[in-house]
Structure formats: C-alpha cells, structure tokens
Amino acid sequence: MIDAKFKWELADTASSATIDNLEKRLGISKILATLLAQQGITSTEQAKKFFEPSIEDIHDPRLLNDVDKAVERIEQAVERQEQITVYGDYDADGITSTALMYETLLSVGANVNYYVPNRFTDGYGPNMEAYQRLIDNGTQLFITVDNGVSGKNVIDKVMEAGIDVIITDHHELPADLPNAVAIVHPRYPGSSYPFPDLSGVGVAFKVAWALTGEFPVEELDLVAIGEIADVVNVMDENHALISYGIQQLRQGLRPGLAALMKLADIKANNLTDQDIGFGIAPRLNALGRIADANDGVKLLTSLDDNESQELAKEVDQANKERRNLVTDIMKEAEKQANSSDNRQKKTLLIVGNGWHQGVLGIVASRIMNETGKPTIVASTDQNNPNLIKGSGRSVDSFNLFNALAAHHELFTTFGGHPAACGLSFDQVNIAPLQTALEEEAVKQEFDPTAKQPLSIAMQLKPVDITQQLYNDIQRVAPFGPGNLEPIFELKNVKVVDVKTMGQEHQHLKFSIISDKGNLTVIAFGQGNLAPLLSAPTGQINLAVKVGLNEWRGKKSIQLMLEDLQINGTVIIDERTNKLTPQLFNSSDYYIVREPKLRENIAPHVVPGHTLSIEEAVKTDFTGQRVTLVDCPPSEEILKQIFARDDGEPATIRLLLYQRKSAYLVGLPTRNDFAQLYRFIYKQKKLTWPMQSKAVSNYLKINVDRLNLMIQVFSEAGFVTIKGDVLKFNEPASKIDLTRTKRYQKQLAQYKVEQQLLFNDAATVAKWLLKYLNLE
C-alpha cells in the first residue's frame, strides 16, 4: 500500500435542505451548490452577492490609519512640485505596488520617480545608502510601498534630515514604529479598518483612491496580480478587488502585460487566478531574484509596444534562468536531503557552494514539500567565503522563527516568521545550527512523519469531471487563503498511459479511464511516481484539482494531482544488470543475498536497512518499502522473507541484479551427464580446472554448466579432486544425480530466476502477488 502524503479530510457538508435550496433557487448544479455551502454561503442573497461582487463591497480608504495625512502631504508635494520617490520592493507585490503608486502620482501631475531596491546590495526595506543616493539626487518626499514599517533606523534618520517619508505597508508591525509623516497600514494598532489582509498593492490602491477621489478601475489589474502573488486572504473586499482585477486583465490594456502573457501562453479572454499565480507572478518575482526588479515596473507602466515586447522578453528570460538555477541546485540539494544521515534527521540544513542566493527560498520550499521537514538551504557568499547566506521554509507544525530566534547568537543576520526566514551565519556555525534545529524539533515535539491535512471538497467519479464542472468551479474563484481551490477525491480509478515529462523526467502524466473519455492527469515534480502507477496494483485513489488545457484552440479538462493512495502491495519493476548509488536514495529496506554486495551498498543506505536473507526473514515489512537487490536463491526463500508480516509491504521493488545467472547457464540434461561421464571414464584423470576450457570446447558444454556437473559428480562420488588432479571413481551403486543437493540448489535458483528475471513486468508482478498471497 502506498499511503497518502497528506491526511485527507473530507469537508463538512451543509444540510441537504440548504444545498437543495441553493440548487433550485439559483438554477445551479448540486456540486456548485455544495461548494457554496462549504464557504458558508447558505442563502440565495449571499450567493448572488458572491457571484457578482460590487464596488460597495470594497471598504472606504478613509478608514485606513493616517490616509488623510498621507494624502495631504502628497497634495502639498504635488503643488510645490517636490521630487517624490516611490520606494518599492522586489517581489511581485512590491513591483505592482510601485507601478500603481507611480502611475497614480503621474496622473495628478506629480514630479515622481521610483526606486526598487536590489535584493543583494540593498536588501529588503529601507536602505540608508540607497535613501541617501536618492536624496542627493533631489528626492524631497519618499513614499514606501509594500515595505517600511520595519525600517525605523533608516526612516527616523531621513526624517531628522528634513526629508519626509510616508509609509504604506501591510507586513507585521514591530513594537517600535518609525517616526514617519504617515503610516498607512490595515492592521495599525487602534485602527478601525475592517479588513486586515490587504497586500502591499491593496494598500497602495487605497491611497491612490483617496488621493484622486475616484475609484481607480484602471489600476485593478495590478491589484489582482500583487494580491494573488502575495497569497493574501481572498475573501471580504479582496474577493471584489481580485475579481474586478481579473476582468481588467482580460481586456489586455497594458502592452507589457499583453506581451508577457503571450510569451507565457496565457489566453487573456479566459484568464484565471491560476494564470496569475503560476504564470504572471513567478515571472515578475524572477526579476527580483536574479535581475533588476525596476524592469518589472517599466514593463507594467510602458505604453510603447516595442519597448513592452523587449521588456517582456527580458522578464520571461529571467524566469527561464530562474528555473534553470532551481533545477541545477535542486539536484545537489536533493542528494544532501536524501543522504543516509539526513534521512534520520527531523530537520534539514543544506549548504552548497556558490549557489545563487535569489532562488534558495524556492529550493528550500521544494525540499520541504518533498520531505515534510523544515528546511534551510544556504550557500557560501561569493564576496565572503566564510559567510553562509540562506533561506528557510517550514511546515505549520514547526515554528521556524521561534526555533532559530532561541539561538540568535549563531547568526550574523536573521529575520522571518513561523513559516519562513532569511539568515546568514559563519561557516563554523554549520554544525551548531544543525544541532540546534534538531534540539528545537524535540522541544516542539515535531514529528516529520505526521501528515499535514489536505481538505477534500467532495468525492466524485471520473464521469462527473466535465467542462461544466470546471465552469462551476471557476464561479467560486478567485482562490487562495480563505477560499481554497476545491480538491476532489476520485476513488478506485483505472490508470493508463503513464509517462514522465521534462528533460530530467521530473514530471508525470497519465490518464484515468472514464465513460465519457479518458481524463489526463498532470503531476509536476512527481515523476518518481511513474513506477508506482505503471505497476499492476490494487485500488488507486486520487486527490485532484480540475483545470483546463488549451492547445491550438482546443480546450480539454485536465486534472492536477495533489496526492494519491494505492491499496495493496505495489510491485515496482526496475530490474537491472548495473547497480549505481542513485538506486539506493530512498529509505527502503534493501535485501541483499551476496555479502560483498551488501558491504558495498551499506554506506549508501540508512543504517540498519541493509539486510541479509537471514535478517530479512526475521523482519516484519508491514507497510514498508522493500527492495530486492539481487535474486533470492529460491522461491521458498522468497516466500519466507515475507511470511511473518502482519500486513502487506507498501512496495516490493525489484532490482534483481545477478552477476551470474543460473537460468542462462542452464540445467544439465541427462545426455550432458552421460557424455561427461563417458569422457571422464575414458580419461581416468584430468588436470582441473586448467583443462576445463578444453573439455568444454570438446564436449560443447559451456564452462559454468560443466563446473556445475563436476560438483554434482563430486557430491555423488563419481570423481575426487585433490590439488589440481581430478580422478574418476567407479560408482558403487546407481545414483539419481538430480537428487543431489548441488543440483537441487541450482534447480531452485533456476526456477526463481525463470519467474523473476525472464518474464515481462506484468507477468512477474502478477505471479509475485499471487505467490506471496498479496493479491
């Protein structure tokens, strides 16, 4: 059985009366009515308001703290034609915030420019050197977007120098706030603002609205991108802001975005929040990771088609470079994560040399998702080889910030929150940091094997997956925190056409059989599942999201795999005649018959997981992954290995490496024995094994089979070998040579090889499951 990675939790279902009422009153499907009810929408009035959000759902910007002060100071700067600098941030939320504020100030006649800091030279938030350069170039008023509340040291100095600063931000508020002209923040202490979860661009939008006195519809496309990219709560006013923003994006009014969407193969007319989250936002984020995020603002604000197309190419190229960097680093990072030492740890500290700092957070997130362990991925700094810089990511059940804050003496710099962090430390602190992480895992009682929850909206059948279902799902979009995209469970599906995709075979594609036509399932980064789905198995259950694939004008439903479970033992056919270290990366139990081979494999495997046949017979493999490295000596021994299990193994992987095959050597026939007997009888004496090749050639019996026959003759007493002399002995009685131990041993090896090595995968799996009573 392959257990699910997550703990599947079926969502609470509203009363059937509520669902029936929504279905009948609104004329919608039962599935859509159920999805609405699961969101707490139980009346037709609530549903209509949800389906058709209104501007009235968006809160008055004047409710935000200090927004009046901010507007007053901006108006004063515009009137005096003071130089205003919008100081942004290098992620997608920061880039859209900068573009929105810049465009708004231009529209009211301001003398304005913008500055997006460099991730590597300026860092996050206000940087004194950057501020000073801007002041020296004439800046008289700073407006921060998507940053600022944590920049007290810099902002206070700037204010003291007579340069005003307005802060617009949404990040966590420190205890000691900057002494700015205004701090516009949805969670400002004592504020009466009704919704705390605006992103940076959402706050910038509110300031723009208050400044112009008009609802800035033309800026909503930027709001949708920034809010989705920053993964904020998508309910309340964000539902309306993002919904309107998606409508604005579909009109394709910004040349830069239109060019970028074309390169990303995003169709504007049916663009969704998923297109933003997986297509547009990552490309903007890539600029801040490996290039200049200011180009992102240029892209979003340019009105020139040619310039927009060139900038879009730069942005898209940066994203490709980002992906290549992640792919390259992932290869090395996964090797470290899967080392025998790290497989025993509850947390991971992975350190490389010369890895690009801009993508370490992505790598840490992927390793964490693969292993379920809090992960820090770090690398040496090019300018200071003794300094290590990195990013960490964590699961909900382990507070990474608290764990690291308790050991602040180990760090040169450190900051973050429970799920993520950035840090730097000296090389000498690598080992102490790993020790500290493990100790904190114990203190927090963190169990990496405990499953994270996965909410299942409902159980469906493949026949229920239709274009209409996709349309219904999109009616409850946009998705994100507060309104998660629904995941459906499909039970006992039949899988066909399993393939891997990508240069590294890292992605997976397969189909499931449906009465209305097979459905394609895609699983990015899960190519390792292909052997599990290709093998004959028991019941397969899938957890999937429903998407739409459009290729050359043709639309088709496409499912995205979130998780799977397979009931019954899975036989994985990876039979090989060449063993490499990569075959021993997983935490299987490895059963190895040959002692020397076992000795060679042990360093690559979790301690205690390399077993001899004798040890394997005494081990319970219930629920475990088992690899048969070389071929067992007999079918009976094979059965004994799995005989004492209280339940079924999860998988039996077949490598079945065999240096010398009994099946290929072949069993001697009665005629072979007779021919050899007559030859030795005539010769009386041979020099053995020196003459073995000559005898083999003369009798036309291969050397390995000839040696076997000599061993059988020796056991039967037909010959004796002393030193290098083989002599014939007259038998005292008639003997059945096929009853000798040596022949029987060879026969047993021959039979098990015949079953396991020389049949196709389906036949082997079927025979093995039946023979071991695992069907």
Side-chain angles (χ1 to χ4, degrees), residues 87 123-128 131 144-156 165 167-180 183-185 187-188 401 414-417:
Y87 193 96
Y124 169 75
N127 175 282
M128 193 63 227
Y131 267 66
T144 74
V145 289
D146 195 33
N147 76 95
V149 292
S150 298
K152 180 176 176 61
N153 291 340
V154 172
I155 289 173
D156 285 2
V165 181
I167 295 172
T168 75
D169 201 355
H170 74 115
H171 291 96
E172 291 296 326
L173 290 155
D176 200 5
L177 292 167
N179 295 314
I183 299 178
V184 185
H185 195 293
R187 292 193 300 278
Y188 193 89
F401 181 85
F414 167 67
H417 52 82

Side-chain angles (χ1 to χ4, degrees), residues 47-223:
K48 289 175 181 177
K49 187 176 180 180
F50 183 82
F51 286 146
E52 300 176 6
S54 166
I55 291 178
E56 281 70 38
D57 299 331
I58 302 172
H59 305 304
D60 188 337
R62 301 282 175 177
L63 297 174
L64 280 164
N65 179 74
D66 280 354
V67 76
D68 291 331
K69 291 181 182 179
V71 169
E72 182 181 354
R73 180 64 184 89
I74 293 170
E75 289 176 339
Q76 184 185 75
V78 173
E79 183 180 344
R80 296 175 179 175
Q81 280 297 286
E82 294 176 300
Q83 176 68 60
I84 303 173
T85 295
V86 180
Y87 193 96
D89 187 30
Y90 41 70
D91 67 0
D93 189 24
I95 291 171
T96 51
S97 301
T98 305
L100 187 151
M101 187 64 74
Y102 174 67
E103 286 186 335
T104 300
L105 291 170
L106 282 178
S107 73
V108 296
N111 176 18
V112 61
N113 60 21
Y114 58 84
Y115 181 80
V116 181
N118 182 282
R119 176 189 293 266
F120 309 106
T121 58
D122 298 327
Y124 169 75
N127 175 282
M128 193 63 227
E129 291 182 7
Y131 267 66
Q132 190 60 56
R133 288 196 305 272
L134 293 163
I135 292 170
D136 292 343
N137 288 330
T139 297
Q140 296 165 282
L141 172 65
F142 287 97
I143 302 174
T144 74
V145 289
D146 195 33
N147 76 95
V149 292
S150 298
K152 180 176 176 61
N153 291 340
V154 172
I155 289 173
D156 285 2
K157 290 177 183 177
V158 174
M159 290 286 293
E160 290 167 6
I163 307 297
D164 285 346
V165 181
I166 294 170
I167 295 172
T168 75
D169 201 355
H170 74 115
H171 291 96
E172 291 296 326
L173 290 155
D176 200 5
L177 292 167
N179 295 314
V181 170
I183 299 178
V184 185
H185 195 293
R187 292 193 300 278
Y188 193 89
S191 168
S192 60
Y193 196 73
F195 183 64
D197 285 328
L198 289 172
S199 75
V201 73
V203 178
F205 177 83
K206 291 302 181 76
V207 174
W209 185 1
L211 177 65
T212 60
E214 298 178 355
F215 187 78
V217 174
E218 68 279 0
E219 303 293 343
L220 283 169
D221 51 358
L222 300 180
V223 176

Side-chain angles (χ1 to χ4, degrees), residues 655-669:
L655 299 182
L656 300 178
Y657 169 78
Q658 203 71 347
R659 190 171 55 84
K660 187 174 290 187
S661 169
Y663 185 80
L664 292 180
V665 168
L667 293 171
T669 65

